[in-house]
Amino acid sequence: MEQKILIKNIKELAFIQEEEDKRSRLSGSEMNECSSIKNAWLAIENDLIVGYGTMKDWEGIADWTNLKIIDARDKIVLPAFCDSHSHIVYAGNREGEWVDRLKGLSYEEIANNGGGIINSALKLREASEDELYDQAFLRAKEVISTGTGALEIKSGYGLSVESELKMLRVIKRLKENTDLTIKSTLLAAHAVPSEFKDNKAGYIDLIINEIIPQVAKEGLADYIDVFCEKGYFDNDDTRRILKAGAAHGMASKFHVNQFTISGGIQVGIDENARSVDHLEVLADEEITALNGVSTIATLLPSCSFFLEIPYSPARKMMDEGLSIALATDFNPGSTPSGNMPFVMSLACVKMKMKPNEAFNASLRNGAYAMDLSETHGAIALGKKANLIITKAIPSYSYIPYSFGSNHIESVILNGKVQF
Ligand code: NIG
Ligand code: FE
């Protein structure tokens, strides 16, 4: 059935991408821009934004019948967030490991004792596809409630042909059964599973010769990912796996420079990765190398918060002209949270991003990091009607400022009111 919605009396319609603005992402000082209209209206037809303007010039859309009208007096309308890095498909939680960290153990020590990713892999292998789906579905609903409209989701807790496929099928079901726009990523190279403990080369062969071809055959992944890190996969492993993914039509976006500077960023640039993610540690020459390339830097400040590791040098990166995306990294080990407003608060307070920069990193640049620039991340004619309607708040900057509170009244995805 045709669906038409008019949102009227909007206090401020913000993060508009004007028709002449063709930039798929914003870089450096551009990240501080925000085009907005005060006292605005916005019209939705089916799943798309079909009009917007100021109430002053409102002429009505004469032929609209069966119109649902939402009065947004005192409220702000924004694009829904584009969270380009998450691991929301997992079984159980790891709060015991968190308590161990509070007592003084490090993330690395816990992983070396069989905890960490391997712990989640054990739990995931025991869970049925339906159990996994039910848990992930609740997390999908949760991220919608905090304003996320587009989400990248990774595999990576299966670490075998069968269990990686199980995770990716769950992601496919989330695509079918929620109004989130979802991109899926194969992260078989997240850790070396116990059965290959002394045979990493054997596991990499399995990834390249079996997992990637099978996943590609079933069309289950848009991207290929690798945890490029000391003790996990080195630069040569990473390059091989990214190339194998590319040969099967998967673009790359991958974990690098979370704990150590490995040179993996250059691998990403060479392999034309869509994004390099984490970058809690970053060398000056890597900042220079990232300038002007198509690969975007995706930063995950709520991972720094939870693991108490350094925050990425976002201010310096933007001052050098780089383009930055922000994402949650929602996962059971390093970031058990999928809350983009909290990510923006951390980005501002801990990385000295300005509110406009944090929003653009979570909107247009997040869309870019998932190849969704044409359809998501901005208010524009013809873009998806993926919107946040706030409660009555003084300004959109109030969202990252007043951290820990929920300022979202309603979310519309694909033109459908979610709540
Ligand atoms: O992005 N660093 C690698 N992967 C995840 C954490 C995985 C886990 O601890 O379960 C991350 O932080
Ligand atoms: Fe991650």
Side-chain angles (χ1 to χ4, degrees), residues 85 87 94 107 117 157 190 227 255 258 278 329 331 333-334:
H85 183 136
H87 312 240
R94 307 212 310 260
Y107 183 79
I117 295 164
Y157 294 117
H190 199 190
F227 187 15
H255 293 70
Q258 183 175 8
H278 273 288
D329 199 17
N331 76 77
S334 71

Side-chain angles (χ1 to χ4, degrees), residues 323-344:
S323 185
I324 286 175
L326 285 169
T328 62
D329 199 17
F330 195 170
N331 76 77
S334 71
T335 325
S337 162
N339 189 313
M340 285 299 290
F342 181 59
V343 165
M344 290 197 300

Side-chain angles (χ1 to χ4, degrees), residues 344-417:
M344 290 197 300
S345 297
L346 288 173
C348 295
V349 173
K350 295 291 189 180
M351 308 200 299
K352 307 299 169 227
M353 291 176 79
K354 298 182 199 96
N356 278 356
E357 294 168 335
F359 274 103
N360 281 315
S362 307
L363 297 172
R364 201 187 302 196
N365 289 1
Y368 177 91
M370 292 185 272
D371 295 279
L372 289 174
S373 308
E374 292 295 313
T375 47
H376 291 71
I379 304 291
L381 295 183
K383 282 218 199 312
K384 281 268 176 226
N386 272 22
L387 305 167
I388 293 169
I389 304 176
T390 69
K391 295 179 181 168
I393 52 173
S395 69
Y396 58 78
S397 300
Y398 192 81
I399 296 174
Y401 158 78
S402 174
F403 72 95
S405 296
N406 176 19
H407 302 295
I408 298 175
E409 180 168 280
S410 176
V411 168
I412 298 175
L413 299 182
N414 284 333
K416 288 187 219 133
V417 179

Side-chain angles (χ1 to χ4, degrees), residues 254-276:
F254 67 105
H255 293 70
V256 63
N257 281 32
Q258 183 175 8
F259 301 109
T260 51
I261 295 175
S262 63
I265 300 247
Q266 192 56 49
V267 175
I269 295 169
D270 295 344
E271 298 307 318
N272 213 5
R274 189 58 175 182
S275 68
V276 282

Side-chain angles (χ1 to χ4, degrees), residues 40-56:
W41 61 272
L42 179 138
I44 298 170
E45 197 164 347
N46 296 320
D47 59 335
L48 300 180
I49 298 171
V50 295
Y52 64 83
T54 66
M55 289 302 288
K56 197 159 43 74

